[in-house]
Structures are given as C-alpha cells and as structure tokens.
C-alpha cells in the first residue's frame, strides 16, 4: 500500500521532529458522500468504521494536546 509506505518513510525521516498520530482513517465511500450531502460522517453514518476512526483520532489528539 503506497500510503503506508509514505507514512513509514515520513516517520523514519521526521519522527524525531514532529508527532505522528497512530490512528489510521480507513477509506470509505461514506466520507465522500458527506461532502456531497454537506454533512458530517457523524450525521450520515455514525456507526461506520470511518466515524469510529475519526472519533478515535479526535481522542488521540485531545490526549496529545494535554501533554
């Protein structure tokens, strides 16, 4: 997977300079549909894997900012 290769290379090159979040957001047609309908993933598909991943990332960001 090209995205994982890029992530790995960036982490190797910049991992000691910037923070990399661990949560990966999966590809999802529901996310694309959100833009079309002008709504959020939490409204359109709150139990989708993408919504769960975005919520998990938000929690990770929140914890990171507290440090």
């Amino acid at each position: 997977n090209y995205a994982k290769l890029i992530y790995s290379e960036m982490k190797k090159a910049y991992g000691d300079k910037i923070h990399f979040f661990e949560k990966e957001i999966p590809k999802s047609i529901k996310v694309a549909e959100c833009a079309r309908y002008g709504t959020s993933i939490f409204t359109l598909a709150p139990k989708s894997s993408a919504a769960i991943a975005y919520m998990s990332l938000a929690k990770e960001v929140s914890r990171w900012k507290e440090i």
Side-chain angles (χ1 to χ4, degrees), residues 29-35 37 39-48:
I29 191 69
K30 291 292 182 193
V31 173
E33 289 174 349
C34 288
Y37 295 121
T39 189
S40 79
I41 191 68
F42 303 108
T43 301
L44 185 68
K47 295 184 180 186
S48 68

Side-chain angles (χ1 to χ4, degrees), residues 4 9 15 18 22 29 33 35 38 41 48 53-54 61 63:
K4 289 183 183 195
E9 292 297 318
I18 61 174
E22 297 301 318
I29 191 69
E33 289 174 349
I41 191 68
S48 68
Y54 275 112
V61 169
R63 284 191 302 270

Side-chain angles (χ1 to χ4, degrees), residues 8-17:
S8 174
E9 292 297 318
M10 288 184 64
K11 197 164 185 175
K12 210 182 314 180
Y14 303 106
D16 59 337
K17 296 174 180 67

